[in-house]
Amino acid sequence: MHIQFDSNLRLFSISTENSSYVFGLNDRGILQHLYWGAPVLAADCVSLMGSRSHSSFDAALDREAEEYAFWGGLSYMEPALKVRWHDGVRDLRLIYDGYRIEEAGNKETLTITLKDETYPIEARLIYTVVPGLDLIERSAVIVNTGSEDIVLESSQSAAWTMPTLENYRLTHVTGKWAGEFQLRETVLSEGKKVLESRRGFTDAHANPWFAIDNGRATEEAGEVWFGALAWSGNWKIVAEKTAFDLVRVTGGINDFDSEWTLASGESFETPVFVGGYAAGGFGSMSRMLHQYQYEVVAPGRDLRKVLYNSWEATYFDVNVQDQTALAERAARLGVELFVIDDGWFGQRNHDRAGLGDWTVNPEKFPSGLGELIDRVRGLGMEFGIWVEPEAVNPDSDLYRQHPDWVYHFPTRSRTELRNQLVLNISMPEVKRYIIGFMSDLLERHDISFVKWDMNRTITEPGMLNHPLNRQKELWVRHVQSLYEIWSELREKFPHVAFETCAGGGSRIDFGMLRYADQAWPSDNTDAYDRLSIQEGFSYVYAPKQMTCWVTEEISGMNKRVTSIPYRFHSAMTGTLGIGANLNHWSEEQLAEAAALVAQYKTVRPLVQEGRQYRLSKLKHKGLEAVQYVGIGKSGEEESVLFAFLHSQKLGDRLPRLLLQGLDPDERYIIEGIEGTYSGRALMRVGVELPLRGDFDSLMYHIRKQP
Ligand code: GLA
């Protein structure tokens, strides 16, 4: 049993392989958090329980450590639940009502029920233990058990209370278009640090994930407490430190401009906020989260295919001849999936028109898409296509017919972004339109991959189809409808893989990744810039889900010049793709690329399903390195190392790089290097890296000696 309740001590304890999580019911009936960290006996935590006060002004300090803070009485921390009753009263007093432990498959779930003293509401706190991983999934279900409406002003998924540390370092990511997933750290002082999105999707400016340590954890060692939220719309994670040195991280759907009305008998389920404890530094945290994706979020997904995407090669100028020529070259490289991007439909010759008109453009494809698809299939590749179903250009037939289908306020102008507006996908007719044209596209064509884009934040959040007093439900309804659409399409077309994209990496989170097989982290395809984007991505999300393209020698983004191997190695650390204009590549370049694609395929299971180790010790020398260990094609554990040297000063020797994750007692061979080496030697004495000059890179495939 992973979950237990000690009725004498009134303690709940959740144990995973390497962690304990303990909370109890104190003498005031408050569900008080007590402990989270390395394994302990629940009974040892009993002395931590009890109501505390400091002065009459700080009279309910135990409420600072509440498992699920309700806003009412003496509670001034970030609330997890804040409600407005039908009579205008805004005060909640949740008291413990009972618990239930259930087992389903290999999962164990604890549900605790809280009820208000007098008003008819139930808050169910749900804790699911993820077997084998030191993770707990938390969420809440709020139920209206009365006859009058209840307005939820804030209903968060969970609050994670931290243990006492001498310092609270918060690690998170920030970013922007073409510069997503940049790692940041800050030491929390008293007050709040808020990470959030208010833009309608997950957002490049922040990502719903946090990690806290005492300031000394490294990649390889130290304790890290972390969490990630499965929500693809407006979200909020608040890291709050009180004057009494208590740190709590509360997260869920952003309560900004948000309300949800629960009618009699209705319930509202928050997204899952998964939390974890890692004893082995940030590396072990990431490996846990990657495993969580492979086993729980999106189990049973195939290895991702090597894809070609023609966006950077042809932009909107797609036509059957050019795409066929690109496909022929892509096939020669060993590409397995050929994807056409924007521009194949309606009057979409630029980003000012056509979005919303999902019929094949007859000038570009006179015989329909079938001609190109047949050719692609004939070349032995699968076919994929780009869509952006949630948005519309005002210059489109769809908008001319249905100007009211977009979010807007009738008295205000409609702000355009990339010349487009967002469809109100909560309207049944809009949902039907999207599912209709997508089904048509996927039924009538042999398509096995969809890149689903969303190049627009939400503004003027008005829904014509919705009651005036419930307009603030838009942010949640958009995401719910999106999930419903994706889930229906996935069910109808199980053979089709989906990629989540939003102007680059603006919609990547555990909510979306339940439906998406892979994600586009950034429109920035510069091989060096990508290293830091991909590193930040890898803190939370798995390499298999990270689509990376090899593009031109001179980056279209920043004019940096890098070699073919460097660009490939950078893209080979995730799901490999190619986005260059292969029609301009010489025979030598194509041959070099084909050899690298073949190499990728030999290490693909390691990269896409193995354990990832970020080797960060030589960063100060300008060296980025990442290693994967997993079951290779041989059926044995193998490893692959990718190393990237940014630049080197004359005479500045690169120290040896220490590998990780190998069996110390095994002997290994490294392709391209003479001799055999023990795992111990590779991890303690390291490997020499023959990297020189600027933007140099290498890949070492490491196998056990036969
Ligand atoms: C977004 C995507 C790109 C590409 C374009 C097409 O910017 O991130 O990869 O698909 O849209 O318009």
Side-chain angles (χ1 to χ4, degrees):
M1 286 288 278
H2 295 286
I3 303 173
Q4 265 158 351
F5 178 60
D6 183 325
S7 52
N8 290 328
L9 300 174
R10 309 217 298 171
L11 290 179
F12 288 96
S13 69
I14 300 176
S15 26
T16 67
E17 311 299 273
N18 300 297
S19 77
S20 295
Y21 185 99
V22 185
F23 58 97
L25 263 177
N26 74 14
D27 49 4
R28 271 204 285 234
I30 299 293
L31 211 51
Q32 190 183 341
H33 178 86
L34 302 174
Y35 180 88
W36 188 23
V40 293
L41 293 175
D44 295 341
C45 302
V46 79
S47 56
L48 299 169
M49 193 146 68
S51 43
R52 292 185 302 135
S53 64
H54 168 72
S55 68
S56 56
F57 297 101
D58 308 283
L61 292 187
D62 52 329
R63 295 210 54 192
E64 293 190 351
E66 225 168 329
E67 268 298 289
Y68 196 70
F70 50 89
W71 192 71
L74 290 169
S75 175
Y76 298 100
M77 294 273 290
E78 181 73 15
L81 187 62
K82 183 173 187 304
V83 306
R84 193 166 75 235
W85 308 107
H86 67 281
D87 55 6
V89 170
R90 301 178 327 284
D91 184 68
L92 186 63
R93 307 277 170 109
L94 288 179
I95 47 172
Y96 173 77
D97 188 59
Y99 78 98
R100 193 171 74 227
I101 298 172
E102 286 156 304
E103 277 184 67
N106 58 353
K107 277 191 171 187
E108 247 173 85
T109 299
L110 164 69
T111 305
I112 291 180
T113 307
L114 309 173
K115 285 184 174 164
D116 186 78
E117 283 171 8
T118 48
Y119 287 85
I121 196 168
E122 218 177 88
R124 298 182 194 144
L125 313 187
I126 298 171
Y127 299 77
T128 300
V129 188
V130 181
L133 299 171
D134 300 312
L135 300 175
I136 303 170
E137 289 182 325
R138 289 181 60 186
S139 60
V141 178
I142 315 300
V143 191
N144 179 349
T145 51
S147 51
E148 305 283 352
D149 285 0
I150 303 172
V151 177
L152 306 180
E153 294 186 350
S154 173
S155 45
Q156 301 299 296
S157 299
W160 298 99
T161 301
M162 296 298 139
T164 306
L165 304 174
E166 74 261 35
N167 248 319
Y168 298 90
R169 175 173 64 174
L170 169 72
T171 305
H172 62 102
V173 288
T174 183
K176 48 184 159 321
W177 176 79
E180 296 85 343
F181 293 104
Q182 300 301 305
L183 286 162
R184 292 288 183 272
E185 52 181 58
T186 182
V187 173
L188 298 174
S189 61
E190 286 73 5
K192 290 179 183 179
K193 168 81 180 173
V194 180
L195 309 173
E196 66 172 349
S197 166
R198 295 182 176 189
R199 291 165 201 252
F201 53 27
T202 323
D203 201 4
H205 295 84
N207 191 269
W209 160 79
F210 76 91
I212 287 186
D213 74 302
N214 66 4
R216 292 198 310 272
T218 63
E219 270 298 306
E220 295 99 38
E223 297 179 287
V224 183
W225 291 262
F226 56 93
L229 199 61
W231 190 245
S232 313
N234 287 0
W235 58 271
K236 183 168 90 162
I237 291 180
V238 179
E240 181 173 19
K241 183 177 177 189
T242 71
F244 298 93
D245 204 30
L246 197 115
V247 169
R248 182 160 81 191
V249 184
T250 306
I253 293 171
N254 204 334
D255 56 346
F256 174 79
D257 193 47
S258 185
E259 273 184 3
W260 191 268
T261 301
L262 272 186
S264 166
E266 283 182 355
S267 56
F268 183 82
E269 198 176 335
T270 74
V272 166
F273 196 3
V274 66
Y277 164 76
F282 290 99
S284 69
M285 168 199 73
S286 300
R287 285 187 291 280
M288 244 183 246
L289 288 171
H290 298 171
Q291 213 51 37
Y292 173 61
Q293 283 157 80
Y294 297 149
E295 289 174 19
V296 181
V297 178
R301 301 272 168 88
D302 298 338
L303 288 177
R304 306 314 316 141
K305 302 220 153 49
V306 176
L307 66 79
Y308 178 83
N309 179 300
S310 59
W311 171 244
E312 287 196 29
T314 51
Y315 291 106
F316 295 98
D317 200 8
V318 287
N319 59 58
V320 65
Q321 297 84 16
D322 293 352
Q323 298 301 308
T324 304
L326 286 167
E328 280 161 2
R329 293 201 148 201
R332 282 173 53 198
L333 296 192
V335 165
E336 298 156 322
L337 167 67
F338 182 84
V339 185
I340 58 164
D341 211 278
D342 202 347
W344 58 268
F345 51 90
Q347 289 308 305
R348 187 77 169 163
N349 299 316
H350 38 65
D351 65 14
R352 298 185 299 283
L355 197 60
D357 299 339
W358 299 104
T359 46
V360 182
N361 180 301
E363 282 99 55
K364 297 177 180 179
F365 297 94
S367 322
L369 280 180
E371 187 184 350
L372 176 63
I373 297 177
D374 288 348
R375 184 71 193 123
V376 166
R377 300 293 293 160
L379 288 163
M381 296 182 291
E382 295 187 353
F383 185 81
I385 199 157
W386 178 97
V387 290
E388 190 180 350
E390 297 152 83
V392 64
N393 283 127
D395 185 1
S396 67
D397 293 341
L398 183 72
Y399 188 74
R400 280 183 282 274
Q401 279 160 27
H402 301 289
D404 287 344
W405 277 15
V406 298
Y407 296 126
H408 70 285
F409 292 122
T411 58
R412 315 291 297 175
S413 62
R414 304 170 186 202
T415 303
E416 287 180 28
L417 201 161
R418 210 188 186 214
N419 313 299
Q420 62 195 56
L421 300 164
V422 183
L423 292 172
N424 177 355
I425 61 171
S426 74
M427 287 168 80
E429 51 274 48
V430 177
K431 230 164 123 180
R432 263 201 311 278
Y433 173 75
I434 293 176
I435 292 176
F437 90 74
M438 283 299 297
S439 302
D440 202 47
L441 186 66
L442 298 177
E443 270 157 14
R444 300 228 317 244
H445 301 98
D446 188 358
I447 293 175
S448 41
F449 178 88
V450 168
K451 174 178 173 185
W452 184 297
D453 207 341
M454 170 56 163
N455 286 302
R456 175 73 159 80
T457 56
I458 293 176
T459 54
E460 295 92 32
M463 297 184 285
L464 282 198
N465 62 325
H466 213 59
L468 280 181
N469 62 346
R470 295 177 67 158
Q471 289 286 307
K472 289 183 176 178
E473 294 177 1
L474 176 144
W475 306 105
V476 170
R477 288 191 180 273
H478 188 90
V479 181
Q480 286 179 339
S481 300
L482 180 73
Y483 289 163
E484 282 159 17
I485 293 170
W486 276 58
S487 118
E488 189 168 333
L489 290 173
R490 291 230 54 147
E491 213 163 286
K492 255 176 124 173
F493 304 99
H495 62 283
V496 179
F498 282 72
E499 179 172 72
T500 173
C501 170
S506 278
R507 197 160 60 191
I508 300 172
D509 56 81
F510 285 152
M512 216 57 206
L513 291 173
R514 276 177 298 168
Y515 303 102
D517 298 82
Q518 57 196 80
W520 180 234
S522 180
D523 280 346
N524 187 338
T525 57
D526 173 82
Y528 171 70
D529 282 3
R530 263 299 182 116
L531 294 180
S532 63
I533 295 171
Q534 295 174 180
E535 180 189 34
F537 182 102
S538 79
Y539 264 60
V540 201
Y541 306 110
K544 185 178 184 175
Q545 276 130 353
M546 182 172 80
T547 316
C548 315
W549 301 347
V550 172
T551 51
E552 301 298 342
E553 177 176 9
I554 304 177
S555 163
M557 284 279 160
N558 54 22
K559 308 299 169 221
R560 179 177 287 119
V561 181
T562 51
S563 68
I564 285 184
Y566 187 91
R567 277 175 275 149
F568 263 91
H569 290 153
S570 168
M572 283 158 84
T573 61
T575 278
L576 176 65
I578 296 164
N581 190 339
L582 298 177
N583 289 336
H584 299 160
W585 282 31
S586 68
E587 284 302 319
E588 293 72 41
Q589 287 173 320
L590 292 173
E592 197 177 4
L596 285 154
V597 171
Q599 267 184 27
Y600 178 72
K601 288 179 183 168
T602 65
V603 299
R604 170 163 49 188
L606 315 179
V607 173
Q608 293 195 9
E609 284 175 345
R611 307 186 296 279
Q612 186 193 46
Y613 296 87
R614 293 178 294 257
L615 308 183
S616 60
K617 287 242 167 75
L618 299 182
K619 264 196 169 176
H620 62 289
K621 289 280 186 185
L623 186 97
E624 311 263 351
V626 61
Q627 186 198 345
Y628 302 82
V629 182
I631 304 297
K633 290 196 154 177
S634 60
E636 291 262 358
E637 208 158 80
E638 300 176 8
S639 179
V640 60
L641 167 74
F642 296 95
F644 306 86
L645 180 64
H646 180 259
S647 52
Q648 191 182 42
K649 290 185 192 135
L650 185 66
D652 198 358
R653 246 188 80 244
L654 207 51
R656 293 169 78 95
L657 181 69
L658 307 185
L659 302 188
Q660 286 186 40
L662 303 175
D663 181 342
D665 298 321
E666 278 286 348
R667 290 207 74 78
Y668 292 90
I669 47 173
I670 304 178
E671 205 167 278
I673 299 188
E674 291 237 327
T676 68
Y677 306 85
S678 71
R680 186 171 286 104
L682 292 173
M683 293 192 289
R684 298 206 181 138
V685 184
V687 288
E688 203 178 316
L689 302 174
L691 296 173
R692 300 282 174 272
D694 298 347
F695 302 113
D696 200 3
S697 67
L698 62 76
M699 176 191 126
Y700 281 163
H701 189 176
I702 302 154
R703 275 176 280 207
K704 288 182 185 162
Q705 188 185 18

